């Protein structure tokens, strides 16, 4: 008979999928317009780095277990093939969000910021960039 303090598999959250949801919350910070622009870029980079490491360590470990014939279930009752399928589906959506964040939001905002910083030669960006009058003229023509 089961011990009363043991939980049923449906009461557990899959460890790998939980990490992907955490990584989505990190990426959500990159979408948050109340966060400064360069901080948003950092959150995107952290999300990408986290996902790389996730596949290098956790997914590689699951695949190795699968190749060795491991048939044990995760605490939530998912088999290794079920986990890999769920990871693929969730990671695909996460990567699409990362690209959307970069291409549709951050790169256009960074380009606008660069145009603002290349304004008049006496502006604060001139000193920070060490720009010359030719680079300022190049930006102002576009």
């Amino acid at each position: 008979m089961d011990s009363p303090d043991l939980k049923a598999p449906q009461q557990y959250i899959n460890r790998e999928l939980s990490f992907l949801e955490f990584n989505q919350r990190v990426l959500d910070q990159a979408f948050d317009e109340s966060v400064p622009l360069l901080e948003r870029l950092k959150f995107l980079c952290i999300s990408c780095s986290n996902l790389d490491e996730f596949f290098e360590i956790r997914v590689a470990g699951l695949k190795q277990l699968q190749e060795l014939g491991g048939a044990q279930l995760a605490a939530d009752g998912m088999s290794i093939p079920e986990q890999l399928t769920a990871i693929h589906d969730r990671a695909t959506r996460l990567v699409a969000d990362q690209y959307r964040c970069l291409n549709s939001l951050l790169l256009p905002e960074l380009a606008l910021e660069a145009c603002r910083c290349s304004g008049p030669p006496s502006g604060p960006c001139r000193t920070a960039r060490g720009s010359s009058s030719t680079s300022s003229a190049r930006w102002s023509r576009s």
Side-chain angles (χ1 to χ4, degrees), residues 49-86:
S49 176
N50 285 349
L51 194 58
D52 286 346
E53 186 174 326
F54 174 78
F55 274 92
E56 290 172 0
I57 306 298
R58 290 186 172 185
V59 173
L62 282 174
K63 287 187 172 210
Q64 187 176 32
L65 282 173
Q66 185 178 33
E67 289 171 6
L68 294 172
Q72 74 267 21
L73 299 178
D76 66 341
M78 291 179 79
S79 68
I80 293 173
E82 290 172 328
Q83 289 180 75
L84 291 172
T85 299

mmCIF file of all heavy atoms in Angstrom, residues 49-86:
data_model
loop_
_atom_site.group_PDB
_atom_site.id
_atom_site.type_symbol
_atom_site.label_atom_id
_atom_site.label_comp_id
_atom_site.label_asym_id
_atom_site.label_seq_id
_atom_site.Cartn_x
_atom_site.Cartn_y
_atom_site.Cartn_z
ATOM 1 N N SER A 49 21.740 31.983 -23.450
ATOM 2 C CA SER A 49 22.806 31.229 -22.798
ATOM 3 C C SER A 49 22.233 30.086 -21.952
ATOM 4 O O SER A 49 22.737 28.963 -21.978
ATOM 5 C CB SER A 49 23.643 32.172 -21.939
ATOM 6 O OG SER A 49 24.613 31.468 -21.224
ATOM 7 N N ASN A 50 21.174 30.393 -21.213
ATOM 8 C CA ASN A 50 20.512 29.360 -20.404
ATOM 9 C C ASN A 50 20.023 28.210 -21.275
ATOM 10 O O ASN A 50 20.167 27.040 -20.917
ATOM 11 C CB ASN A 50 19.310 29.937 -19.649
ATOM 12 C CG ASN A 50 19.683 30.785 -18.469
ATOM 13 O OD1 ASN A 50 20.833 30.828 -18.046
ATOM 14 N ND2 ASN A 50 18.700 31.491 -17.932
ATOM 15 N N LEU A 51 19.429 28.544 -22.424
ATOM 16 C CA LEU A 51 18.889 27.507 -23.300
ATOM 17 C C LEU A 51 20.012 26.657 -23.891
ATOM 18 O O LEU A 51 19.879 25.430 -23.981
ATOM 19 C CB LEU A 51 18.040 28.141 -24.403
ATOM 20 C CG LEU A 51 17.152 27.190 -25.182
ATOM 21 C CD1 LEU A 51 16.175 26.453 -24.268
ATOM 22 C CD2 LEU A 51 16.393 27.946 -26.262
ATOM 23 N N ASP A 52 21.115 27.288 -24.270
ATOM 24 C CA ASP A 52 22.266 26.524 -24.770
ATOM 25 C C ASP A 52 22.743 25.521 -23.726
ATOM 26 O O ASP A 52 22.938 24.341 -24.024
ATOM 27 C CB ASP A 52 23.431 27.454 -25.124
ATOM 28 C CG ASP A 52 23.218 28.226 -26.403
ATOM 29 O OD1 ASP A 52 22.302 27.878 -27.177
ATOM 30 O OD2 ASP A 52 23.967 29.195 -26.633
ATOM 31 N N GLU A 53 22.934 25.999 -22.511
ATOM 32 C CA GLU A 53 23.409 25.120 -21.436
ATOM 33 C C GLU A 53 22.396 24.022 -21.131
ATOM 34 O O GLU A 53 22.769 22.876 -20.876
ATOM 35 C CB GLU A 53 23.696 25.937 -20.184
ATOM 36 C CG GLU A 53 24.334 25.117 -19.079
ATOM 37 C CD GLU A 53 24.743 25.954 -17.892
ATOM 38 O OE1 GLU A 53 25.144 27.123 -18.078
ATOM 39 O OE2 GLU A 53 24.674 25.418 -16.771
ATOM 40 N N PHE A 54 21.127 24.355 -21.177
ATOM 41 C CA PHE A 54 20.056 23.380 -20.941
ATOM 42 C C PHE A 54 20.184 22.213 -21.923
ATOM 43 O O PHE A 54 20.114 21.045 -21.530
ATOM 44 C CB PHE A 54 18.697 24.069 -21.084
ATOM 45 C CG PHE A 54 17.523 23.147 -21.005
ATOM 46 C CD1 PHE A 54 17.074 22.663 -19.791
ATOM 47 C CD2 PHE A 54 16.845 22.777 -22.159
ATOM 48 C CE1 PHE A 54 15.976 21.821 -19.716
ATOM 49 C CE2 PHE A 54 15.747 21.934 -22.095
ATOM 50 C CZ PHE A 54 15.320 21.452 -20.878
ATOM 51 N N PHE A 55 20.386 22.524 -23.203
ATOM 52 C CA PHE A 55 20.513 21.452 -24.195
ATOM 53 C C PHE A 55 21.836 20.708 -24.053
ATOM 54 O O PHE A 55 21.875 19.486 -24.214
ATOM 55 C CB PHE A 55 20.341 22.003 -25.616
ATOM 56 C CG PHE A 55 18.896 22.061 -26.027
ATOM 57 C CD1 PHE A 55 18.159 23.201 -25.818
ATOM 58 C CD2 PHE A 55 18.276 20.956 -26.589
ATOM 59 C CE1 PHE A 55 16.818 23.256 -26.171
ATOM 60 C CE2 PHE A 55 16.937 20.989 -26.946
ATOM 61 C CZ PHE A 55 16.205 22.153 -26.733
ATOM 62 N N GLU A 56 22.907 21.425 -23.730
ATOM 63 C CA GLU A 56 24.209 20.776 -23.590
ATOM 64 C C GLU A 56 24.258 19.807 -22.416
ATOM 65 O O GLU A 56 24.945 18.787 -22.480
ATOM 66 C CB GLU A 56 25.304 21.828 -23.415
ATOM 67 C CG GLU A 56 25.584 22.631 -24.662
ATOM 68 C CD GLU A 56 26.524 23.801 -24.412
ATOM 69 O OE1 GLU A 56 26.968 24.005 -23.255
ATOM 70 O OE2 GLU A 56 26.808 24.529 -25.375
ATOM 71 N N ILE A 57 23.545 20.134 -21.336
ATOM 72 C CA ILE A 57 23.622 19.313 -20.127
ATOM 73 C C ILE A 57 22.384 18.438 -19.948
ATOM 74 O O ILE A 57 22.468 17.204 -19.975
ATOM 75 C CB ILE A 57 23.818 20.203 -18.871
ATOM 76 C CG1 ILE A 57 25.028 21.133 -19.034
ATOM 77 C CG2 ILE A 57 23.903 19.355 -17.610
ATOM 78 C CD1 ILE A 57 26.348 20.439 -19.203
ATOM 79 N N ARG A 58 21.251 19.063 -19.771
ATOM 80 C CA ARG A 58 20.048 18.307 -19.416
ATOM 81 C C ARG A 58 19.498 17.458 -20.558
ATOM 82 O O ARG A 58 19.194 16.280 -20.375
ATOM 83 C CB ARG A 58 18.967 19.246 -18.892
ATOM 84 C CG ARG A 58 19.301 19.827 -17.529
ATOM 85 C CD ARG A 58 18.137 20.613 -17.031
ATOM 86 N NE ARG A 58 18.304 21.058 -15.660
ATOM 87 C CZ ARG A 58 17.371 21.678 -14.980
ATOM 88 N NH1 ARG A 58 16.201 21.943 -15.529
ATOM 89 N NH2 ARG A 58 17.585 22.061 -13.741
ATOM 90 N N VAL A 59 19.347 18.049 -21.726
ATOM 91 C CA VAL A 59 18.795 17.284 -22.846
ATOM 92 C C VAL A 59 19.786 16.211 -23.279
ATOM 93 O O VAL A 59 19.398 15.078 -23.562
ATOM 94 C CB VAL A 59 18.393 18.207 -24.015
ATOM 95 C CG1 VAL A 59 17.974 17.399 -25.236
ATOM 96 C CG2 VAL A 59 17.265 19.143 -23.578
ATOM 97 N N ALA A 60 21.067 16.548 -23.287
ATOM 98 C CA ALA A 60 22.083 15.541 -23.632
ATOM 99 C C ALA A 60 22.032 14.372 -22.647
ATOM 100 O O ALA A 60 22.158 13.212 -23.048
ATOM 101 C CB ALA A 60 23.468 16.175 -23.645
ATOM 102 N N GLY A 61 21.811 14.679 -21.372
ATOM 103 C CA GLY A 61 21.692 13.615 -20.372
ATOM 104 C C GLY A 61 20.483 12.724 -20.608
ATOM 105 O O GLY A 61 20.566 11.495 -20.478
ATOM 106 N N LEU A 62 19.364 13.340 -20.954
ATOM 107 C CA LEU A 62 18.164 12.547 -21.259
ATOM 108 C C LEU A 62 18.391 11.658 -22.484
ATOM 109 O O LEU A 62 17.996 10.492 -22.493
ATOM 110 C CB LEU A 62 16.961 13.461 -21.503
ATOM 111 C CG LEU A 62 16.287 14.051 -20.278
ATOM 112 C CD1 LEU A 62 15.207 15.048 -20.695
ATOM 113 C CD2 LEU A 62 15.693 12.962 -19.406
ATOM 114 N N LYS A 63 19.032 12.222 -23.507
ATOM 115 C CA LYS A 63 19.296 11.435 -24.718
ATOM 116 C C LYS A 63 20.255 10.286 -24.434
ATOM 117 O O LYS A 63 20.086 9.188 -24.965
ATOM 118 C CB LYS A 63 19.831 12.330 -25.832
ATOM 119 C CG LYS A 63 18.761 13.214 -26.410
ATOM 120 C CD LYS A 63 19.251 13.964 -27.623
ATOM 121 C CE LYS A 63 18.086 14.665 -28.257
ATOM 122 N NZ LYS A 63 18.231 14.813 -29.692
ATOM 123 N N GLN A 64 21.221 10.538 -23.572
ATOM 124 C CA GLN A 64 22.159 9.472 -23.212
ATOM 125 C C GLN A 64 21.418 8.357 -22.453
ATOM 126 O O GLN A 64 21.637 7.180 -22.726
ATOM 127 C CB GLN A 64 23.284 10.041 -22.364
ATOM 128 C CG GLN A 64 24.393 9.055 -22.086
ATOM 129 C CD GLN A 64 25.545 9.703 -21.326
ATOM 130 O OE1 GLN A 64 25.350 10.604 -20.522
ATOM 131 N NE2 GLN A 64 26.748 9.221 -21.582
ATOM 132 N N LEU A 65 20.551 8.747 -21.529
ATOM 133 C CA LEU A 65 19.748 7.730 -20.823
ATOM 134 C C LEU A 65 18.896 6.928 -21.799
ATOM 135 O O LEU A 65 18.768 5.709 -21.670
ATOM 136 C CB LEU A 65 18.840 8.395 -19.784
ATOM 137 C CG LEU A 65 19.474 8.817 -18.475
ATOM 138 C CD1 LEU A 65 18.474 9.612 -17.635
ATOM 139 C CD2 LEU A 65 19.970 7.599 -17.703
ATOM 140 N N GLN A 66 18.317 7.622 -22.764
ATOM 141 C CA GLN A 66 17.478 6.945 -23.750
ATOM 142 C C GLN A 66 18.303 5.947 -24.569
ATOM 143 O O GLN A 66 17.870 4.821 -24.801
ATOM 144 C CB GLN A 66 16.821 7.976 -24.664
ATOM 145 C CG GLN A 66 15.837 7.392 -25.645
ATOM 146 C CD GLN A 66 15.174 8.455 -26.496
ATOM 147 O OE1 GLN A 66 15.792 9.470 -26.822
ATOM 148 N NE2 GLN A 66 13.933 8.235 -26.848
ATOM 149 N N GLU A 67 19.496 6.357 -24.991
ATOM 150 C CA GLU A 67 20.366 5.476 -25.774
ATOM 151 C C GLU A 67 20.805 4.255 -24.971
ATOM 152 O O GLU A 67 21.006 3.169 -25.524
ATOM 153 C CB GLU A 67 21.588 6.243 -26.275
ATOM 154 C CG GLU A 67 21.272 7.240 -27.362
ATOM 155 C CD GLU A 67 22.454 8.146 -27.704
ATOM 156 O OE1 GLU A 67 23.567 7.918 -27.173
ATOM 157 O OE2 GLU A 67 22.248 9.074 -28.498
ATOM 158 N N LEU A 68 20.958 4.432 -23.656
ATOM 159 C CA LEU A 68 21.362 3.318 -22.801
ATOM 160 C C LEU A 68 20.187 2.419 -22.425
ATOM 161 O O LEU A 68 20.347 1.454 -21.684
ATOM 162 C CB LEU A 68 22.046 3.853 -21.536
ATOM 163 C CG LEU A 68 23.374 4.573 -21.762
ATOM 164 C CD1 LEU A 68 23.858 5.226 -20.471
ATOM 165 C CD2 LEU A 68 24.420 3.604 -22.303
ATOM 166 N N GLY A 69 19.007 2.771 -22.923
ATOM 167 C CA GLY A 69 17.828 1.948 -22.664
ATOM 168 C C GLY A 69 17.124 2.274 -21.367
ATOM 169 O O GLY A 69 16.341 1.470 -20.873
ATOM 170 N N GLY A 70 17.400 3.437 -20.824
ATOM 171 C CA GLY A 70 16.738 3.842 -19.585
ATOM 172 C C GLY A 70 15.234 3.941 -19.794
ATOM 173 O O GLY A 70 14.769 4.561 -20.747
ATOM 174 N N ALA A 71 14.495 3.330 -18.918
ATOM 175 C CA ALA A 71 13.040 3.327 -19.070
ATOM 176 C C ALA A 71 12.354 3.948 -17.857
ATOM 177 O O ALA A 71 11.128 3.932 -17.782
ATOM 178 C CB ALA A 71 12.547 1.904 -19.279
ATOM 179 N N GLN A 72 13.147 4.478 -16.918
ATOM 180 C CA GLN A 72 12.525 5.045 -15.726
ATOM 181 C C GLN A 72 11.720 6.281 -16.087
ATOM 182 O O GLN A 72 12.029 6.997 -17.029
ATOM 183 C CB GLN A 72 13.559 5.358 -14.631
ATOM 184 C CG GLN A 72 14.425 6.556 -14.896
ATOM 185 C CD GLN A 72 15.738 6.227 -15.575
ATOM 186 O OE1 GLN A 72 15.883 5.189 -16.193
ATOM 187 N NE2 GLN A 72 16.688 7.121 -15.470
ATOM 188 N N LEU A 73 10.693 6.503 -15.303
ATOM 189 C CA LEU A 73 9.835 7.666 -15.502
ATOM 190 C C LEU A 73 10.304 8.794 -14.604
ATOM 191 O O LEU A 73 10.838 8.567 -13.525
ATOM 192 C CB LEU A 73 8.384 7.314 -15.168
ATOM 193 C CG LEU A 73 7.731 6.210 -16.004
ATOM 194 C CD1 LEU A 73 6.314 5.949 -15.508
ATOM 195 C CD2 LEU A 73 7.725 6.552 -17.480
ATOM 196 N N ALA A 74 10.078 10.013 -15.055
ATOM 197 C CA ALA A 74 10.352 11.177 -14.213
ATOM 198 C C ALA A 74 9.323 11.190 -13.087
ATOM 199 O O ALA A 74 8.324 10.468 -13.123
ATOM 200 C CB ALA A 74 10.258 12.450 -15.054
ATOM 201 N N ALA A 75 9.550 12.021 -12.093
ATOM 202 C CA ALA A 75 8.645 12.099 -10.943
ATOM 203 C C ALA A 75 7.218 12.417 -11.363
ATOM 204 O O ALA A 75 6.255 11.994 -10.713
ATOM 205 C CB ALA A 75 9.145 13.139 -9.951
ATOM 206 N N ASP A 76 7.070 13.128 -12.472
ATOM 207 C CA ASP A 76 5.731 13.493 -12.943
ATOM 208 C C ASP A 76 5.106 12.409 -13.811
ATOM 209 O O ASP A 76 4.003 12.582 -14.315
ATOM 210 C CB ASP A 76 5.777 14.814 -13.701
ATOM 211 C CG ASP A 76 6.562 14.720 -14.999
ATOM 212 O OD1 ASP A 76 7.359 13.772 -15.158
ATOM 213 O OD2 ASP A 76 6.385 15.596 -15.855
ATOM 214 N N GLY A 77 5.802 11.293 -14.000
ATOM 215 C CA GLY A 77 5.261 10.172 -14.751
ATOM 216 C C GLY A 77 5.585 10.183 -16.237
ATOM 217 O O GLY A 77 5.167 9.284 -16.961
ATOM 218 N N MET A 78 6.342 11.164 -16.701
ATOM 219 C CA MET A 78 6.684 11.234 -18.129
ATOM 220 C C MET A 78 7.869 10.325 -18.448
ATOM 221 O O MET A 78 8.847 10.294 -17.707
ATOM 222 C CB MET A 78 7.028 12.671 -18.538
ATOM 223 C CG MET A 78 5.870 13.632 -18.539
ATOM 224 S SD MET A 78 6.359 15.323 -18.996
ATOM 225 C CE MET A 78 6.455 15.152 -20.774
ATOM 226 N N SER A 79 7.760 9.624 -19.562
ATOM 227 C CA SER A 79 8.881 8.809 -20.030
ATOM 228 C C SER A 79 9.909 9.734 -20.695
ATOM 229 O O SER A 79 9.632 10.902 -20.972
ATOM 230 C CB SER A 79 8.386 7.775 -21.050
ATOM 231 O OG SER A 79 7.965 8.429 -22.234
ATOM 232 N N ILE A 80 11.087 9.189 -20.961
ATOM 233 C CA ILE A 80 12.132 9.983 -21.604
ATOM 234 C C ILE A 80 11.676 10.481 -22.979
ATOM 235 O O ILE A 80 11.810 11.674 -23.276
ATOM 236 C CB ILE A 80 13.465 9.210 -21.668
ATOM 237 C CG1 ILE A 80 14.004 9.008 -20.253
ATOM 238 C CG2 ILE A 80 14.486 9.954 -22.531
ATOM 239 C CD1 ILE A 80 15.227 8.115 -20.157
ATOM 240 N N PRO A 81 11.110 9.629 -23.843
ATOM 241 C CA PRO A 81 10.636 10.144 -25.141
ATOM 242 C C PRO A 81 9.545 11.218 -24.988
ATOM 243 O O PRO A 81 9.537 12.197 -25.752
ATOM 244 C CB PRO A 81 10.081 8.909 -25.847
ATOM 245 C CG PRO A 81 10.788 7.755 -25.221
ATOM 246 C CD PRO A 81 11.007 8.165 -23.793
ATOM 247 N N GLU A 82 8.664 11.064 -24.026
ATOM 248 C CA GLU A 82 7.640 12.085 -23.790
ATOM 249 C C GLU A 82 8.271 13.403 -23.358
ATOM 250 O O GLU A 82 7.863 14.476 -23.807
ATOM 251 C CB GLU A 82 6.644 11.619 -22.721
ATOM 252 C CG GLU A 82 5.733 10.505 -23.164
ATOM 253 C CD GLU A 82 4.896 9.930 -22.032
ATOM 254 O OE1 GLU A 82 5.367 9.917 -20.870
ATOM 255 O OE2 GLU A 82 3.771 9.488 -22.308
ATOM 256 N N GLN A 83 9.273 13.308 -22.494
ATOM 257 C CA GLN A 83 9.970 14.518 -22.055
ATOM 258 C C GLN A 83 10.666 15.206 -23.222
ATOM 259 O O GLN A 83 10.579 16.433 -23.376
ATOM 260 C CB GLN A 83 11.006 14.187 -20.974
ATOM 261 C CG GLN A 83 10.413 13.815 -19.638
ATOM 262 C CD GLN A 83 11.506 13.518 -18.636
ATOM 263 O OE1 GLN A 83 12.152 14.441 -18.152
ATOM 264 N NE2 GLN A 83 11.726 12.249 -18.350
ATOM 265 N N LEU A 84 11.352 14.430 -24.051
ATOM 266 C CA LEU A 84 12.072 15.012 -25.182
ATOM 267 C C LEU A 84 11.108 15.680 -26.165
ATOM 268 O O LEU A 84 11.407 16.753 -26.691
ATOM 269 C CB LEU A 84 12.929 13.943 -25.878
ATOM 270 C CG LEU A 84 14.123 13.446 -25.072
ATOM 271 C CD1 LEU A 84 14.786 12.248 -25.765
ATOM 272 C CD2 LEU A 84 15.130 14.562 -24.835
ATOM 273 N N THR A 85 9.962 15.082 -26.381
ATOM 274 C CA THR A 85 8.958 15.685 -27.262
ATOM 275 C C THR A 85 8.423 16.979 -26.665
ATOM 276 O O THR A 85 8.316 17.998 -27.357
ATOM 277 C CB THR A 85 7.808 14.693 -27.520
ATOM 278 O OG1 THR A 85 8.338 13.539 -28.170
ATOM 279 C CG2 THR A 85 6.718 15.309 -28.380
ATOM 280 N N ALA A 86 8.112 16.950 -25.383
ATOM 281 C CA ALA A 86 7.596 18.151 -24.712
ATOM 282 C C ALA A 86 8.654 19.258 -24.684
ATOM 283 O O ALA A 86 8.334 20.437 -24.880
ATOM 284 C CB ALA A 86 7.134 17.807 -23.295
#
